[in-house]
Amino acid sequence: MARQLPKDPKVRQLIAAHLSRRQLLAGTGGLGLLGGLAACGTGGAPGANSDDKPTPAKDLSAEQKEVNWANWTLYLDYDDKTGKYPTLEGFSKKTGIKANYAEDIDGNDTYFGKIQGQLASGQDIGKDVITLTDWMTGRLIRLGYTQELDAANIPNKKNLLSNLVDVDFDPGRKHSLTWQSGFAGIAWNKDEVPGGLKSVSDLWKPGLKGRVEVVDEMRDTMGILMLEEGVDISGDFSDDDFAKAIEMLEKQIDSGQIRQVKGNSYKEDLISGDAVAVICWSGDITQLNFEEGDKWEFALPEAGGTLLTDNLMVPIGSPHKANAEALMNYYYDPAVAAEVAAYVNYICPVQGAKEAMEKIDPELVDNPLIFPSETDLANAHVFRSLTAEQETNYGDQFQKAIGN
């Protein structure tokens, strides 16, 4: 599951089981957050316009009532009993549009690597909606790989939280809409690490050697490491600041302290017990605790965690743009947004969802992982926007450090 936000760099933002989600969240107090604060292409070919960018595909939504959505794992409400996604079923029932959903995204870079060639050629990648983090969203928009949204088809766009409207990577939200926001921080197995963790330095304790994992999202892992060194990641940090944190990462990887650097699949290692302490995303830990038992605790490190945002976009070669816009509009209905938030436990970007949550699960209204207060956000930081040169330079350093 972060995200460059404008102005103030902080978001103002059903399954039966032995342990219900409500009991879990009430019992863990938001997972320790507050305590932790002490294919075949159909699009146009490039070169068809003056910017040498691909042109949008012809929209066949009127004839083809389908929409194909790629998302991250554990990022949409899911019913174990039926094997279906309740809100997605509701969308199809309401609109008559068949929705095909796939948890195809494990990391921004890895997913981009799979689709980049087709996007550059204006081809249909087989997805009409993709969900990527703000910095990657900015890259796709800058390269001309996304279609401009028709606001008339998304009247519920008015429900987007005001501070998420004029983001630097997509002013006015012409090409994207926020899906969810969340925190990156640290988590641990409560049985294996009974004393808990308070800082990044705690991850380097000898007893955890070979059982630590970190996410392969550069801005989250590097942001948290830099915060540990006292660097303001939202400000004008230097190349040397970044390089120092790279050295720390390389040292812990080379020594065997860090077992692996992974995308969303780090969750599997937490379940197996191969990893007992991680730099991770908040909502993933909530999901794991719900599905596997209340085994893990999440917190922002004392030096701070990162704040991220993922965004919905329509790829340039999608032939179902209007259907995709209908999907976005549906999920910006406050009642639907609240239903999703009750399951995924990430920060909801939709105005009115907090009030709608009163009817769905009143105990979640004050959950800081869904509706954080300014106090909750005080220790969460946004990794500042990078120039294209910095993005390449820092990205290369990070990939080299993690062995890619």
Side-chain angles (χ1 to χ4, degrees):
M1 355 63 171
R3 338 146 186 238
Q4 266 67 6
L5 306 177
K7 304 173 184 177
D8 182 349
K10 299 176 175 69
V11 176
R12 321 273 195 213
Q13 340 205 291
L14 286 139
I15 305 171
H18 176 66
L19 177 65
S20 74
R21 178 174 299 277
R22 176 180 300 171
Q23 291 168 331
L24 170 66
L25 293 169
T28 59
L31 293 178
L33 173 63
L34 301 183
L37 295 177
C40 179
T42 60
N49 57 42
S50 59
D51 294 327
D52 197 30
K53 294 179 180 178
T55 55
K58 179 182 178 181
D59 193 356
L60 304 177
S61 294
E63 299 85 32
Q64 300 177 4
K65 293 297 183 179
E66 66 177 85
V67 63
N68 302 287
W69 181 6
N71 205 348
W72 302 72
T73 61
L74 302 179
Y75 221 17
L76 185 64
D77 54 301
Y78 180 76
D79 190 328
D80 282 331
K81 291 183 177 180
T82 65
K84 297 180 179 180
Y85 301 91
T87 58
L88 206 58
E89 292 291 302
F91 165 76
S92 294
K93 183 177 181 180
K94 182 175 182 178
T95 64
I97 298 171
K98 180 182 178 181
N100 302 305
Y101 184 80
E103 295 181 334
D104 284 349
I105 303 175
D106 184 59
N108 286 287
D109 283 313
T110 53
Y111 190 71
F112 180 69
K114 295 175 183 177
I115 62 175
Q116 180 180 9
Q118 289 172 286
L119 290 174
S121 298
Q123 294 181 327
D124 179 10
I125 65 170
K127 303 299 177 185
D128 307 302
V129 179
I130 56 177
T131 317
L132 296 171
T133 308
D134 46 12
W135 63 270
M136 183 59 79
T137 299
R139 179 189 294 181
L140 265 63
I141 293 172
R142 185 172 66 249
L143 292 172
Y145 293 170
T146 62
Q147 299 191 42
E148 184 170 348
L149 303 176
D150 184 348
N153 290 337
I154 316 174
N156 284 336
K157 180 182 177 181
K158 67 180 185 297
N159 295 327
L160 177 65
L161 290 174
S162 60
N163 66 312
L164 291 173
V165 173
D166 284 314
V167 290
D168 58 2
F169 59 85
D170 186 17
R173 288 289 184 176
K174 295 182 178 180
H175 290 259
S176 68
L177 279 177
T178 304
W179 173 237
Q180 307 286 320
S181 297
F183 300 107
I186 54 178
W188 58 94
N189 183 302
K190 292 186 288 187
D191 290 334
E192 297 287 344
V193 191
L197 304 174
K198 293 183 178 180
S199 69
V200 170
S201 296
D202 288 341
L203 293 171
W204 316 144
K205 291 180 178 179
L208 295 177
K209 185 172 183 178
R211 307 188 74 187
V212 176
E213 293 188 356
V214 302
V215 293
D216 64 0
E217 194 62 50
M218 181 191 78
R219 286 157 178 80
D220 292 326
T221 289
M222 291 303 297
I224 287 174
L225 296 182
M226 292 168 73
L227 286 165
E228 179 75 3
E229 295 297 309
V231 176
D232 178 8
I233 63 171
S234 300
D236 191 22
F237 60 79
S238 68
D239 290 348
D240 288 341
D241 292 329
F242 188 87
K244 186 176 181 180
I246 283 287
E247 290 177 7
M248 181 195 304
L249 178 63
E250 289 177 329
K251 177 183 177 180
Q252 301 305 330
I253 292 175
D254 293 344
S255 70
Q257 185 73 22
I258 293 177
R259 179 179 182 272
Q260 284 186 318
V261 181
K262 285 191 166 186
N264 269 126
S265 57
Y266 72 84
K267 299 187 299 293
E268 298 168 7
D269 295 334
L270 285 174
I271 294 171
S272 70
D274 290 334
V276 299
V278 292
I279 290 178
C280 62
W281 296 301
S282 56
D284 286 347
I285 304 305
T286 300
Q287 287 282 338
L288 285 178
N289 277 332
F290 178 63
E291 296 178 354
E292 302 292 331
D294 187 18
K295 299 178 181 179
W296 299 275
E297 185 164 354
F298 174 87
L300 296 180
E302 290 178 333
T306 59
L307 189 64
L308 53 98
T309 296
D310 293 320
N311 305 277
L312 305 171
M313 295 168 284
V314 180
I316 192 68
S318 163
H320 306 122
K321 175 172 170 284
N323 293 343
E325 291 164 338
L327 182 79
M328 295 181 189
N329 188 63
Y330 173 77
Y331 278 101
Y332 265 70
D333 180 308
V336 176
E339 188 173 348
V340 172
Y343 183 89
V344 303
N345 283 264
Y346 278 98
I347 301 171
C348 183
V350 178
Q351 295 184 58
K354 186 172 184 177
E355 291 75 13
M357 187 68 80
E358 289 277 6
K359 298 179 181 179
I360 296 173
D361 194 335
E363 292 188 27
L364 294 184
V365 171
D366 296 321
N367 186 304
L369 297 181
I370 304 175
F371 305 111
S373 67
E374 288 301 313
T375 301
D376 299 330
L377 291 165
N379 211 28
H381 308 267
V382 176
F383 198 103
R384 70 165 168 83
S385 296
L386 301 176
T387 65
E389 181 179 356
Q390 289 172 328
E391 186 174 301
T392 299
N393 180 25
Y394 293 168
D396 287 347
Q397 289 184 58
F398 182 69
Q399 293 300 319
K400 181 179 178 182
I402 65 176
N404 288 346

